[in-house]
Amino acid sequence: MKSFGGLFEWITSCENLERAMRLAARGKQDRSPVQRFLGNAEKELVVLREELRARTYRPRPYTQFRICDPKPRTISCADFRDRVVHHAVCDVIGPLLERRMISHSYACREGKGTHRAVLQAERYCRRFRYYLKMDVRKFFESVDHEILLGLLRGLFREPRLGGLLEILVRHPVPHAVAGKGLPIGNLTSQWFANLYLDGLDHTVKEEWQFAGYVRYMDDIVLWAEDKADLWWALASTKNWLETRRRVTLKETATRLAPTKDGLPFLGLRVYPQALRLQRQRYRRLKRLVVRREKELERALISPEQFVGSLRAAAGILSFLGLKGLVSSSVDL
């Protein structure tokens, strides 16, 4: 496995930290913590750079909140100066991690995303008779720090960079099991989580040689003409995850079925010749619109926030070619 050196100086350069600050602040300039940092940006960046280079940098505690979209999740929000560090690190190591990832991994990558993952799944549903869908149980909470750090050290050999990555990985998340877990909400978590299952991608495609394969973070789907091949893949994937990554499959989410019955994937049901919005997601979209309209009436959100929320909600409908399911007096 190729490793990379000479990156720490680049990560902690003035230019990279300034760029990281702008990226971290994008769309959030109205928030008071961001405004305070930006208002004293020159001093803040100098202090942050000195801490990183002196190896005295320590992230501040996370702020947590709960969402239910569609299932309950705990989001860990890093302090703004820590998000600057996340962007500074990912801006440099991200392209290098991207190089080793195969095209069949779609989450949190430039030129990928849910829509392209769904379209590829539809193509495979037209090509193969059966699919196997798997989901890792409590994936982010189960990531093993030692295994992840081993993967990162194999790629990035600099001691100073390795030390910084270890600080980011081991930064404690409230209520998490010691030595386990990545906080949902961090930019670094997205890259680290993708790397964590990247080995499975290469195994499925290069060793097991399955033609039909798509992974979106911990949602894993394989296709084949023969059910027996997929039963073998299920047992092999389960063994690989448990022995190589110390995670387990969610048994209730495992499904092996004919493609003509439809594949539940990323909020849609994918058929060989059609895509349909799952009923649960449709209802969630309708509830979101009603809730945002009430918040706008009570001046809890701005018109700009209202429009942005509806645009995000309407994105999947536009992708499906549906109109009229999300209506508003605002021109989207």
Side-chain angles (χ1 to χ4, degrees):
M1 180 168 59
K2 182 179 180 180
S3 61
F4 304 92
L7 302 178
F8 187 79
E9 289 291 327
W10 185 6
I11 289 171
T12 58
S13 68
C14 295
E15 296 80 7
N16 191 54
L17 289 174
E18 288 175 7
R19 171 180 162 80
M21 178 185 68
R22 292 193 299 271
L23 290 172
R26 189 166 54 189
K28 303 179 181 68
Q29 290 92 337
D30 59 336
R31 300 180 184 180
S32 55
V34 179
Q35 291 175 347
R36 285 195 297 270
F37 192 99
L38 296 180
N40 198 22
E42 185 174 350
K43 180 180 178 181
E44 292 280 5
L45 290 178
V46 167
V47 171
L48 184 57
R49 184 169 185 263
E50 290 176 350
E51 289 181 12
L52 289 168
R53 296 204 164 196
R55 303 192 191 187
T56 59
Y57 165 77
R58 294 296 181 272
R60 294 173 181 175
Y62 288 113
T63 300
Q64 291 189 316
F65 59 91
R66 297 278 287 175
I67 64 170
C68 189
D69 186 24
K71 58 185 178 182
R73 294 178 183 271
T74 299
I75 304 299
S76 298
C77 185
D79 188 87
F80 181 72
R81 81 192 301 264
D82 297 325
R83 295 203 297 273
V84 172
V85 175
H86 298 167
H87 276 276
V89 169
C90 292
D91 197 43
V92 173
I93 73 170
L96 303 177
L97 293 176
E98 178 71 27
R99 284 186 196 176
R100 64 168 286 107
M101 294 179 183
I102 67 173
S103 62
H104 299 259
S105 170
Y106 284 83
C108 309
R109 296 177 65 190
E110 188 78 23
K112 298 290 186 177
T114 56
H115 293 177
R116 286 183 171 85
V118 167
L119 289 175
Q120 184 59 63
E122 185 185 27
R123 285 191 283 269
Y124 285 140
C125 283
R126 287 198 293 266
R127 181 176 169 187
F128 298 101
R129 293 178 61 194
Y130 299 101
Y131 70 81
L132 167 65
K133 183 179 183 297
M134 298 169 284
D135 188 355
V136 177
R137 182 178 180 272
K138 295 184 178 180
F139 175 52
F140 277 84
E141 296 96 320
S142 302
V143 170
D144 186 280
H145 291 173
E146 289 299 331
I147 293 176
L148 174 59
L149 288 170
L151 295 172
L152 289 168
R153 292 187 192 110
L155 290 170
F156 307 110
R157 63 179 181 266
E158 289 179 85
R160 288 188 298 175
L161 176 54
L164 176 57
L165 293 174
E166 183 167 359
I167 287 171
L168 297 179
V169 170
R170 294 195 187 279
H171 180 43
V173 179
H175 314 299
V177 176
K180 295 273 190 177
L182 293 174
I184 299 174
N186 279 2
L187 179 62
T188 50
S189 295
Q190 297 173 8
W191 282 104
F192 294 164
N194 257 341
L195 175 65
Y196 202 72
L197 294 184
D198 176 68
L200 177 64
D201 301 338
H202 287 273
T203 299
V204 171
K205 293 299 295 180
E206 296 162 14
E207 294 184 26
W208 302 347
Q209 297 188 345
F210 272 83
Y213 176 71
V214 167
R215 179 173 69 84
Y216 191 94
M217 200 56 76
D218 61 316
D219 287 332
I220 304 162
V221 190
L222 289 89
W223 286 262
E225 279 295 296
D226 192 331
K227 268 189 177 182
D229 292 337
L230 294 178
W231 283 119
W232 179 90
L234 174 59
S236 299
T237 301
K238 184 177 180 180
N239 179 67
W240 193 97
L241 292 170
E242 291 176 355
T243 58
R244 304 286 189 90
R245 296 297 182 264
R246 298 178 190 167
V247 296
T248 59
L249 290 176
K250 188 189 302 179
E251 298 295 339
T252 56
T254 300
R255 180 180 174 87
L256 198 163
T259 54
K260 64 181 179 59
D261 291 349
L263 161 68
F265 188 51
L266 302 178
L268 300 173
R269 185 164 286 274
V270 183
Y271 294 89
Q273 301 297 335
L275 298 173
R276 294 181 183 174
L277 196 65
Q278 288 184 296
R279 185 175 300 175
Q280 183 183 20
R281 186 168 185 181
Y282 169 71
R283 290 173 176 170
R284 198 164 70 247
L285 285 172
K286 295 289 283 186
R287 288 196 299 268
L288 172 67
V289 173
V290 171
R291 186 167 68 250
R292 290 291 182 262
E293 287 176 342
K294 290 180 178 178
E295 289 172 347
L296 181 64
E297 290 172 0
R298 298 172 186 170
L300 297 176
I301 60 174
S302 67
E304 292 78 14
Q305 290 173 313
F306 175 69
V307 172
S309 182
L310 261 63
R311 278 178 174 157
I316 186 63
L317 303 179
S318 300
F319 168 66
L320 292 171
L322 303 175
K323 298 180 180 179
L325 295 181
V326 177
S327 60
S328 167
S329 58
V330 179
D331 181 13
L332 297 181

